[in-house]
Amino acid sequence: YFLAPAAAALTDDDRATWVFRALILVVVIRALGLTHANLLRREMDFRRRFLPELLGGVTKGVLAVVLAFSGYGVWALVLATIAGTTVNTIGLWVVMPFRPRFELGFDGRAVRLIRFGASVSFVGVLTAISANVDYIIIGNVLGLTALGFYVIAFRIPELILVEGLQTASQAMFPYYARARELAVDPGARFLGTSRVASLIAAPIVAILAGLATPLIVFLFGDKWEAAAAALPALALYAAFNTISGFAGDLYLALGKPWILWVLGVPQVLIEIAAIWLIAPYGFAAAAYALAGVAIVISLVRWEIASHVVGIRRTAIFRAFRPALVAGALAWVVAVVISRALPLEAAALAGPALVALAYLVFASMLAPEVRGAARAALRLAASRRSRGGQTPASGAGGSA
């Protein structure tokens, strides 16, 4: 609250002081529902978490639009964020019957929680710095126009790839933690989830990297074409940074959160140095520098994970090999499509063609892809057969 004027000074607008102060309420309101949310997460009961989050998101979106059209300006976003967080927290209290008691945990629980939580909180600070330092440096070194191109290129893989994988990551911590309770090898679970995540991410990276220019121009117009230069690198960055982040969930599950900040501090420092040195050469060069740092950090995370759970490096490589090979081949297909077809045709038909090519390549390299494809075909066939039944035969079948 008292540092808000100093934070507002960074924006060159004194009105931001009360924006910062109002948004402090979000931290407090969200904290009231965090225990409920994490208890549901521990039980992997994401079905009950879904409705509060949905209602909170809808409240925030609808209220922001209504207030914006009513002339509230930036306060439309502030008030909508506060309202959405409040609805989400109330919903969590409704669906999760936990009620806090006034116990300070003097039996040692508090100390254990504070030690664990302090490490996680510190990692959260590092993550926030890492997520925004590139914007700050590029904006200051290259100006707002270059920053605009960079942000557009960054947001596409963030929305398509990162959001989905991070949502899946919500289940990784309890999934790995339960391995110990069930006497299951956490290393096997880590390899399995990493393999699946890489198989999902690879075609997205291939599409965004190989069809960068057609997609950018088709979605945003010719004036944003320059953003395509950074999209391949930022797609790689998003994939490596997010998938290797599963190793962080593994460290937490094994009670070793300190590994996260031991890695996080040098990662942030290296990112700052790399972007600061490369940014004068353009926002695309900065994007490739960021991708390079993400690949190196990912290799380090996987190396540490191999020692923590006792798995071989070759096992990690075998887990990622189908996605790497099939993704590279699909990228080649995407590049050919981008150069051979007219821009609109490449943007409209290209993603489906690349995805189909990737499915063919991945099916030859990963048995689980073939199994998933056959299951999808059987499901589609059964739905068509049910759709072709007469009402009478459908009723008889159900009986």
Side-chain angles (χ1 to χ4, degrees):
Y1 181 90
F2 293 107
L3 290 175
L10 298 175
T11 69
D12 296 325
D13 192 335
D14 293 337
R15 293 175 297 177
T17 297
W18 283 103
V19 171
F20 284 122
R21 287 176 172 171
L23 287 172
I24 293 172
L25 288 172
V26 173
V27 180
V28 178
I29 296 168
R30 183 169 179 267
L32 294 174
L34 275 179
T35 302
H36 300 74
N38 283 313
L39 285 171
L40 292 170
R41 180 184 177 191
R42 184 184 185 279
E43 298 302 321
M44 299 183 72
D45 190 351
F46 296 100
R47 181 176 298 178
R48 281 197 288 170
R49 277 188 59 169
F50 173 73
L51 185 58
E53 292 180 0
L54 175 65
L55 293 175
V58 170
T59 300
K60 177 181 176 180
V62 172
L63 189 60
V65 172
V66 171
L67 292 178
F69 275 109
S70 300
Y72 280 78
V74 69
W75 284 101
L77 296 174
V78 174
L79 295 174
T81 301
I82 295 172
T85 305
T86 302
V87 170
N88 185 19
T89 297
I90 292 173
L92 288 169
W93 277 66
V94 171
V95 300
M96 181 64 199
F98 166 78
R99 296 296 179 265
R101 297 186 302 273
F102 190 72
E103 293 182 11
L104 297 181
F106 287 132
D107 58 356
R109 287 175 296 164
V111 173
R112 291 196 300 272
L113 285 172
I114 290 171
R115 283 177 180 170
F116 188 90
S119 295
V120 176
S121 297
F122 183 61
V123 171
V125 173
L126 292 175
T127 301
I129 295 172
S130 176
N132 293 284
V133 69
D134 50 343
Y135 293 164
I136 295 171
I137 295 175
I138 291 173
N140 279 277
V141 173
L142 298 176
L144 295 180
T145 300
L147 178 61
F149 290 132
Y150 181 85
V151 170
I152 286 293
F154 197 102
R155 286 294 288 163
I156 294 174
E158 186 175 46
L159 289 172
I160 297 175
L161 182 60
V162 176
E163 293 292 339
L165 288 179
Q166 285 185 344
T167 299
S169 175
Q170 293 292 313
M172 292 303 102
F173 174 55
Y175 182 63
Y176 297 152
R178 285 191 169 201
R180 293 193 298 175
E181 299 175 9
L182 301 173
V184 177
D185 181 14
R189 289 194 165 190
F190 173 69
L191 288 175
T193 52
S194 297
R195 182 181 176 94
V196 171
S198 65
L199 286 169
I200 294 171
I204 299 175
V205 173
I207 291 169
L208 295 180
L211 299 172
T213 298
L215 290 174
I216 289 287
V217 174
F218 181 77
L219 292 173
F220 302 102
D222 293 338
K223 63 180 181 180
W224 292 100
E225 183 176 355
L231 185 53
L234 293 175
L236 280 173
Y237 165 78
F240 273 90
N241 199 47
T242 307
I243 295 173
S244 67
F246 287 6
D249 296 312
L250 180 66
Y251 306 149
L252 290 176
L254 298 178
K256 302 178 185 295
W258 56 270
I259 298 178
L260 288 171
W261 60 260
V262 168
L263 283 176
V265 172
Q267 177 182 353
V268 169
L269 294 177
I270 293 171
E271 285 179 348
I272 292 173
I275 298 172
W276 187 269
L277 290 172
I278 302 299
Y281 298 96
F283 66 89
Y288 278 95
L290 194 64
V293 173
I295 292 172
V296 171
I297 293 296
S298 296
L299 294 175
V300 174
R301 287 173 178 169
W302 291 323
E303 175 68 19
I304 293 175
S306 70
H307 290 284
V308 168
V309 293
I311 53 180
R312 295 183 177 182
R313 299 186 193 96
T314 53
I316 296 177
F317 173 73
R318 285 197 301 269
F320 291 124
R321 182 170 54 193
L324 290 173
V325 175
L329 293 173
W331 171 77
V332 173
V333 173
V335 172
V336 171
I337 291 173
S338 177
R339 296 178 179 179
L341 296 182
L343 188 142
E344 288 191 1
L348 289 172
L353 294 174
V354 175
L356 181 61
Y358 174 81
L359 184 61
V360 172
F361 298 138
S363 297
M364 294 186 291
L365 297 165
E368 59 267 41
V369 174
R370 293 195 296 271
R374 285 195 295 266
L377 291 174
R378 286 196 299 268
L379 179 62
S382 65
R383 286 182 174 177
R384 283 197 299 270
S385 64
R386 286 199 301 269
Q389 289 177 337
T390 62
S393 63
S398 297

